[in-house]
């Protein structure tokens, strides 16, 4: 998975990675051991974070209350590798960077 490679690169560069993936949480625990904190809910994963990286085009991402999530983040920055939020109106204080080539579903 591209997300696994990305997480490994972030860890090499000294990033503290917290991940949300309720589908792959078991396999992620095996891959990353204790190097990555894994969550089955998005709120604790983003709380206090400097950025969110979206590596999966799940439609639910577009339904989240980004205003509330942004208030929980240290810096409301989103790197969207799948352009999942390209059509979602985000609060003005967000820094949003679509970096993927896939359009939203």
């Amino acid at each position: 998975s591209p997300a696994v490679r990305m997480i490994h690169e972030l860890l090499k560069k000294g990033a503290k990675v917290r991940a949300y993936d309720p589908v792959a949480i078991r396999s992620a625990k095996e891959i990353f051991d204790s190097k990555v904190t894994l969550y089955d809910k998005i709120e604790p994963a983003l709380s206090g974070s400097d950025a969110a990286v979206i590596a999966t085009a799940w439609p639910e991402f577009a339904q989240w209350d980004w205003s509330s999530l942004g208030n929980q983040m240290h810096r409301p920055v989103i790197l969207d590798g799948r352009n999942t939020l390209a059509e979602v109106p985000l609060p003005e204080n967000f820094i949003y960077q679509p970096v993927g080539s896939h359009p939203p579903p």
Side-chain angles (χ1 to χ4, degrees):
S1 158
V4 171
R5 288 191 303 271
M6 186 181 335
I7 290 171
H8 280 302
E9 286 300 315
L10 287 167
L11 291 171
K12 279 190 219 176
K13 298 196 182 296
K16 180 179 175 184
V17 177
R18 300 178 331 178
Y20 163 78
D21 190 335
V23 174
I25 198 165
R26 277 197 165 143
S27 59
K29 283 182 182 179
E30 292 175 15
I31 294 169
F32 298 113
D33 193 26
S34 62
K35 297 175 197 141
V36 174
T37 306
L38 301 162
Y39 296 91
D40 61 359
K41 295 188 186 321
I42 191 59
E43 292 83 359
L46 288 181
S47 181
S49 66
D50 287 321
V53 177
I54 297 177
T56 307
W58 287 348
E60 70 187 70
F61 293 164
Q63 305 303 316
W64 287 344
D65 180 354
W66 284 101
S67 180
S68 175
L69 291 170
N71 288 334
Q72 296 176 41
M73 297 173 73
H74 182 251
R75 293 186 187 122
V77 174
I78 299 174
L79 299 175
D80 188 351
R82 301 291 297 224
N83 293 346
T84 303
L85 303 180
E87 302 299 320
V88 175
L90 295 170
E92 285 186 25
N93 65 324
F94 269 77
I95 297 171
Y96 174 73
Q97 183 63 53
V99 293
S101 60
H102 299 86

